[in-house]
Amino acid sequence: MTKLVEQAVAAISKLPPETQDDLARLMLALAEDASVSLTPDEAAAIAEAEAEIARGERVPPETIQAFWRTHGL
């Protein structure tokens, strides 16, 4: 396991159990098909999300959980 993955797991372990489960489902889904390439729009959306995180902006956990529920995760 890389140091970055260890850091991610450590950070996730501090979140509420429901959020941990949401992130675990996402990680498993990504790991099952790691060969998927991002579209330019997806890459731009991720870059914007990373910039928001760097600025300290956060989405409330309830919003994230609702999003994942709409996608069956």
Side-chain angles (χ1 to χ4, degrees):
M1 185 180 313
T2 68
K3 290 226 181 251
L4 184 57
V5 173
E6 289 175 0
Q7 289 174 336
V9 170
I12 290 168
S13 71
K14 297 175 186 172
L15 299 172
E18 304 83 29
T19 304
Q20 289 182 33
D21 287 347
D22 291 341
L23 291 171
R25 282 189 283 278
L26 173 62
M27 290 169 50
L28 289 169
L30 291 172
E32 289 174 3
D33 194 1
S35 64
V36 174
S37 297
L38 297 177
T39 67
D41 287 343
E42 291 168 332
I46 290 171
E48 175 57 26
E50 290 173 341
E52 290 170 355
I53 291 168
R55 293 190 299 266
E57 298 175 21
R58 299 286 191 268
V59 175
E62 301 81 24
T63 302
I64 294 170
Q65 290 168 1
F67 171 81
W68 290 124
R69 278 193 297 276
T70 65
H71 294 282
L73 298 173

